[in-house]
Amino acid sequence: MTLPTLLVITFASILPLVLVFVFAFSEIRLVDIPRIGTEPIEWSLANFERAFGNPTFWNALGTTLLYATLTMIGSVGCGLVLALCLRRPFPGRGVVRALLLVPYVLPIIAAVTIWQTMLNPQYGIVNAIGREFLGWSAPVAFLNTTTVEAWGIPIPLSLLVVVVFEIWSSAPLSFLFITARLQSVPAELEEAAALDGASRWQTLTQIVLPQLRGVILLLCLLRFIWTFQSFNEVYLLTEGAGGTQVMALKVYTELITRADIGSAAAYGLLMSAVLTVLLAAYVIIGRRKEAM
Amino acid sequence: MSSRSSLRSPLPLRVLRGVIIAAALVASLGPVLYGVLLTLRPASSVIREPLRLIPGPDEIDLSAYATAMLNESAGGFGLGRFVLNSLVVALCTVVLSILVSVLGAYAAARLRYAGRGVVNAIILAVYLFPGIVLSVPLFVLLARVGLTGSLAGLFLVYVASTVPVALYMMRNYFIALPISIEEAATVDGASLPRMLWNIILPVAIPGVVSTAIYTFMIAWNEYFYALLFLVQRREQWTAPLGIAQLSDFDVPVTVLLAGSITVTVPVIILFSVVQRFLIDGLTSGAEK
């Protein structure tokens, strides 16, 4: 009965996983595809040496870490605030809850097209408002501006736009998960605390938040993992312009533009290495919590 | 009564909460409404007056939808065909992925067999492993057997990338089902396939439906593999690829938005029908 499942898993995951190692440690390019499997593999570390020696690799890694971290904080933070705001029943809560999920359900291509229109320098509403009411002297090209100076501080504008977009589309999921967990926080505990004279803030930080710790930690991990590898949102919004060359885009560029399979596989493996470290940290933190 | 009133929020907190909820609603719905409203006006009017959102009574113009959907020969941009491509691939993906994952997830949740722990660990690892990393070898594998450039190749990749997620969701669902009904059926002498079909599946329908919808949404949304495999084959483009490719050409913004709204419709319908199932399915793992 598990045979079909095992077949799919083998074809979809285990075989590619083995191959990604083989490719990463060999010199292989797109033109070599017809010859794969017919010639012996020449093992080499050249792909990794080139990656480490290339400043764009370190740039992409830094950009990706910043992008994933900011998105994680924003997405889980917004989800938490919304879940707490919608915790007590009020008329229309069900409808509000469903409407808040719209950005999450919206197909990415639709969300991106709408955002690109909003941010368009010629006819986008954001620039129109900025020039009409906020006194902007020139339209802002939100999707291909690497840095702007605001009060003397350089701000990575396009990267921030992509982060805000990701938070916008992923916060609803955090909201859902936290809401589900909130429902199983016993109300008696809070009532007892209130009777004992605990302030609302104390009840929140001493009773509710500790109960949410597990789900928040899990959400942070998942959001980081997903954002760290996200390709669609960034590529569709900016095509990598304006300092948004994240690691997933590098894998794509190495594979398609530079036609270098080995190098693309090496970039992919290095991404996995970063995530593995993170996953290990999560497991260790989880263990320690159980031990307490 | 006293404990209840002590839990009631003071006024400033209630106001703050109202403001946050209102702001969140504007942020979630505003862009979507903006997109829909623009599709009702001619593109020239949108470019001339970007700040006016409500279309004038004499200028409502739905031709953007027709222009987006019609074939090139009829003066459109062929999105109708791209949507059809997407539908076929997504529906095939759902059918095979659900079939495979229901069987596998049930086994992972209930049956005792050698290596069960290893298989479960692999499922979780695959679920969390970066898809972009596996894309390189999958691309090479499919190119090697000549399946890139076809919707069939895309379908295989979609099954491959949705099965781990579907397995994970279905397994959580099966684990949460009470084991007693199966024990009763076993005592009554039902065989395993019979029990799965007659006893388990009817109870597990909400889980199956939510997993199916989620799988559909993944396939419906997918862009990366479509770009890798099909970018040279215009007649095979899926809807996301088609809209993204067209935005590089000189296509009126209202047509692109009309296409985007059309792609959203099936998802909104599915989602509003089964919203509760889907939410339960997605969050069941977070209950621990």
Side-chain angles (χ1 to χ4, degrees):
Chain A
M1 197 162 84
T2 41
L3 191 67
T5 317
L6 283 181
L7 268 178
V8 173
I9 295 272
T10 308
F11 168 75
S13 311
I14 299 173
L15 184 60
L17 200 57
V18 173
L19 283 180
V20 92
F21 276 94
V22 174
F23 294 161
F25 288 100
S26 56
E27 290 284 335
I28 174 168
R29 307 180 63 85
L30 279 187
V31 289
D32 300 325
I33 285 181
R35 292 204 301 278
I36 290 173
T38 59
E39 286 175 14
I41 300 158
E42 283 177 45
W43 300 96
S44 90
L45 285 171
N47 292 318
F48 292 97
E49 282 163 10
R50 274 199 300 269
F52 290 139
N54 190 344
T56 64
F57 165 78
W58 297 106
N59 266 339
L61 185 62
T63 307
T64 314
L65 287 172
L66 183 64
Y67 161 64
T69 310
L70 290 178
T71 305
M72 173 188 84
I73 295 170
S75 168
V76 179
C78 290
L80 177 65
V81 169
L82 284 178
L84 290 173
C85 282
L86 284 163
R87 193 176 171 206
R88 309 235 177 274
F90 58 85
R93 184 175 69 157
V95 179
V96 171
R97 215 182 249 174
L99 290 178
L100 287 180
L101 300 184
V102 165
Y104 175 69
V105 183
L106 201 66
I108 294 168
I109 187 69
V112 165
T113 311
I114 291 171
W115 274 62
Q116 279 176 334
T117 311
M118 288 198 308
L119 299 175
N120 186 289
Q122 277 122 45
Y123 49 77
I125 189 155
V126 175
N127 270 306
I129 291 176
R131 300 183 71 178
E132 187 83 14
F133 301 111
L134 307 176
W136 297 358
S137 53
V140 180
F142 285 97
L143 295 174
N144 52 20
T145 306
T146 310
T147 43
V148 284
E149 293 267 325
W151 305 285
I153 308 160
I155 290 174
L157 184 65
S158 293
L159 188 66
L160 279 188
V161 170
V162 181
V163 166
V164 172
F165 177 84
E166 282 267 11
I167 294 173
W168 180 77
S169 60
S170 66
L173 191 69
S174 308
F175 161 70
L176 266 187
F177 273 68
I178 296 171
T179 299
R181 182 64 185 84
L182 262 180
Q183 276 163 356
S184 57
V185 174
E188 299 84 51
L189 267 179
E190 285 171 79
E191 283 171 20
L195 282 182
D196 287 347
S199 71
R200 308 188 63 80
W201 181 249
Q202 282 171 329
T203 319
L204 180 70
T205 52
Q206 309 283 320
I207 297 185
V208 180
L209 288 184
Q211 301 247 2
L212 296 180
R213 196 174 154 233
V215 72
I216 287 176
L217 207 59
L218 178 74
L219 272 175
C220 285
L221 179 81
L222 288 178
R223 182 41 56 204
F224 192 93
I225 290 179
W226 286 332
T227 315
F228 189 83
Q229 51 176 301
S230 86
F231 171 88
N232 293 345
E233 292 84 348
V234 187
Y235 187 79
L236 283 169
L237 269 175
T238 69
E239 297 204 7
T244 58
Q245 272 280 351
V246 291
M247 288 287 281
L249 260 68
K250 285 298 283 182
V251 174
Y252 173 79
T253 323
E254 293 296 313
L255 181 65
I256 297 302
T257 317
R258 301 200 47 240
D260 191 338
I261 298 173
S263 178
Y267 274 88
L269 267 194
L270 291 170
M271 282 175 76
S272 323
V274 175
L275 290 181
T276 309
V277 171
L278 207 84
L279 209 58
Y282 174 78
V283 170
I284 291 168
I285 292 173
R287 286 257 164 80
R288 193 171 297 159
K289 198 182 80 182
E290 270 167 34
M292 280 194 311
Chain B
M1 207 51 216
S2 67
S3 78
R4 189 151 269 245
S5 60
S6 70
L7 276 181
R8 207 181 141 91
S9 316
L11 186 67
L13 209 59
R14 288 214 301 275
V15 170
L16 178 69
R17 187 185 298 157
V19 169
I20 293 177
I21 293 173
L25 278 176
V26 169
S28 334
L29 299 179
V32 183
L33 280 178
Y34 170 74
V36 174
L37 284 173
L38 290 199
T39 62
L40 304 178
R41 294 163 57 197
S44 55
S45 152
V46 170
I47 290 166
R48 213 175 333 112
E49 294 177 273
L51 267 181
R52 196 161 61 81
L53 289 178
I54 312 297
D58 51 335
E59 72 165 357
I60 287 190
D61 175 11
L62 289 172
S63 65
Y65 287 88
T67 315
M69 290 300 131
L70 287 176
N71 276 338
E72 289 89 344
S73 54
F77 290 99
L79 269 168
R81 196 180 53 233
F82 305 155
V83 169
L84 206 64
N85 287 343
S86 273
L87 261 185
V88 170
V89 179
L91 288 177
C92 291
T93 304
V94 168
V95 171
L96 191 60
S97 178
I98 287 294
L99 200 71
V100 166
S101 59
V102 163
L103 296 176
Y106 186 74
R110 286 287 196 265
L111 306 183
R112 315 265 142 202
Y113 56 87
R116 180 171 179 258
V118 178
V119 174
N120 284 350
I122 289 176
I123 294 174
L124 185 66
V126 170
Y127 177 59
L128 292 177
F129 204 78
I132 191 94
V133 180
L134 299 182
S135 73
V136 178
L138 275 176
F139 177 76
V140 174
L141 275 175
L142 285 162
R144 185 78 178 78
V145 294
L147 273 173
T148 48
S150 74
L151 288 175
L154 205 59
F155 157 71
L156 285 180
V157 178
Y158 287 2
V159 171
S161 47
T162 52
V163 159
V165 188
L167 264 177
Y168 188 74
M169 281 177 75
M170 284 308 304
R171 195 181 67 108
N172 279 344
Y173 198 84
F174 280 134
I175 289 176
L177 287 182
I179 203 160
S180 52
I181 37 171
E182 296 155 62
E183 281 167 356
T186 318
V187 170
D188 290 345
S191 66
L192 190 60
R194 253 191 82 87
M195 185 174 75
L196 195 62
W197 183 252
N198 287 339
I199 314 275
I200 309 296
L201 221 48
V203 190
I205 274 296
V208 173
V209 170
S210 63
T211 311
I213 305 264
Y214 196 61
T215 309
F216 179 87
M217 276 166 52
I218 294 177
W220 187 251
N221 251 328
E222 208 285 330
Y223 171 73
F224 178 67
Y225 283 105
L227 176 71
L228 275 188
F229 287 6
L230 298 175
V231 74
Q232 317 282 357
R233 307 284 296 272
R234 184 166 180 154
E235 73 283 4
Q236 310 243 341
W237 283 353
T238 59
L241 180 62
I243 296 173
Q245 289 300 112
L246 289 182
S247 68
D248 289 344
F249 296 106
D250 202 13
V251 175
V253 63
T254 48
V255 170
L256 288 177
L257 286 171
S260 306
I261 305 296
T262 313
V263 176
T264 309
V265 170
V267 178
I268 296 287
I269 293 174
L270 280 177
F271 191 75
S272 54
V273 172
V274 292
Q275 192 211 0
R276 215 173 48 81
F277 290 159
L278 186 66
I279 290 174
D280 288 348
L282 280 175
T283 54
S284 61
E287 282 289 341
K288 279 170 264 139

